[in-house]
Amino acid sequence: HLQLQGSGPGLVKPSETLSLTCTVSGGSISSSSYLWGWVRQPPGKGLEWIGSIYYSGSTYYNPSLKSRVTVSVDTSKNQFSLKLYSVTAADTATYYCAKASDSNGNWFESWGQGTLVTVLS
Amino acid sequence: SYELTQPPSVSVSPGQTASITCSGDNLEYKFTSWYQQKAGQSPVLVIYKDANRPSGIPDRFSGSNSGNTATLTIVGTQPVDEADYYCQAWDNTAYWVFGGGTKLTVL
């Protein structure tokens, strides 16, 4: 049974870089049938997709965040990561890592538990 | 950019049928998925590719997609179904797009 576990600092200062890692267990990240993605949810608000990556390293980014985001993968550790640069208070959110199907429709079939990140000086 | 629109809230009595809509331009030509998110929990996939249920999702959940509107239907709604529901579609330029979410109240 595949599980995703996000980890990283819960507090980031404004203008700094938010860095999170998602560890995949119970399955391999190196599957051509799936993508690995990040979705965030500000307190009391809806879901916003951030970016997704294949195990090969090919990426997709939300056009509204693209200039500040990097998603990377480390197949040797079965992990993928998110970096969000120059954060502001508006980036305060729970960040979820998730596994997406590569089939037409690209749904998120498994989600991690979420990591609350607060941007605060 | 591509947008999906959902009603902010829907109310239903226990045992009745709840319908949650999701609207977007030419949505019928894109596959829609639905997620359930209970308070304090991660989202859970309940419908994918418009009308398919993952294993473990009760058959009272169903989905459809026609024209510009996709619909999540819950027949015989139970108190345990009270949650926020989000639709999601994949667009060739915006990629993964979520609707704003609908709060389902069972009362």
Side-chain angles (χ1 to χ4, degrees):
Chain A
H1 175 64
L2 185 134
Q3 291 187 312
L4 300 100
Q5 178 78 36
S7 60
L11 185 64
V12 181
K13 290 183 169 57
S15 80
E16 296 191 344
T17 298
L18 179 160
S19 296
L20 297 174
T21 296
C22 187
T23 300
V24 178
S25 60
S28 174
I29 203 170
S30 300
S31 169
S32 59
S33 300
Y34 300 106
L35 299 99
W36 307 93
W38 292 95
V39 176
R40 71 179 182 179
Q41 184 173 38
K45 296 188 177 181
L47 302 173
E48 179 183 34
W49 169 72
I50 301 170
S52 299
I53 190 167
Y54 279 103
Y55 81 96
S56 62
S58 297
T59 52
Y60 295 87
Y61 293 125
N62 185 323
S64 68
L65 296 170
K66 184 176 182 177
S67 63
R68 298 196 293 129
V69 173
T70 297
V71 178
S72 58
V73 64
D74 187 338
T75 56
S76 68
K77 295 181 178 179
N78 231 32
Q79 294 176 335
F80 61 105
S81 299
L82 168 70
K83 288 189 184 296
L84 181 63
Y85 308 101
S86 303
V87 298
T88 69
D91 295 311
T92 293
T94 296
Y95 286 75
Y96 296 98
C97 55
K99 171 189 172 185
S101 168
D102 186 31
S103 297
N104 198 355
N106 299 100
W107 57 91
F108 288 106
E109 59 181 60
S110 301
W111 296 68
Q113 87 287 3
T115 300
L116 175 60
V117 178
T118 302
V119 178
L120 190 63
S121 56
Chain B
S1 64
Y2 190 77
E3 295 184 0
L4 296 173
T5 302
Q6 299 180 236
S9 63
V10 168
S11 296
V12 64
S13 299
Q16 298 304 302
T17 297
S19 294
I20 300 173
T21 58
C22 173
S23 299
D25 287 345
N26 296 313
L27 186 55
E28 66 178 331
Y29 298 111
K30 307 177 189 298
F31 283 120
T32 301
S33 302
W34 291 91
Y35 304 87
Q36 176 194 69
Q37 186 181 33
K38 296 183 179 180
Q41 298 183 19
S42 301
V44 172
L45 178 71
V46 294
I47 294 289
Y48 66 97
K49 269 190 165 180
D50 293 343
N52 294 274
R53 272 180 294 106
S55 60
I57 300 302
D59 60 6
R60 63 179 180 272
F61 288 87
S62 64
S64 63
N65 189 359
S66 179
N68 293 326
T69 302
T71 303
L72 173 70
T73 302
I74 310 172
V75 175
T77 308
Q78 299 182 7
V80 69
D81 300 327
E82 187 163 285
D84 294 327
Y85 290 85
Y86 295 90
C87 61
Q88 174 255 313
W90 198 88
D91 177 75
N92 287 336
T93 54
Y95 307 126
W96 285 264
V97 179
F98 287 98
T102 298
K103 181 177 181 61
L104 177 67
T105 301
V106 183
L107 43 67

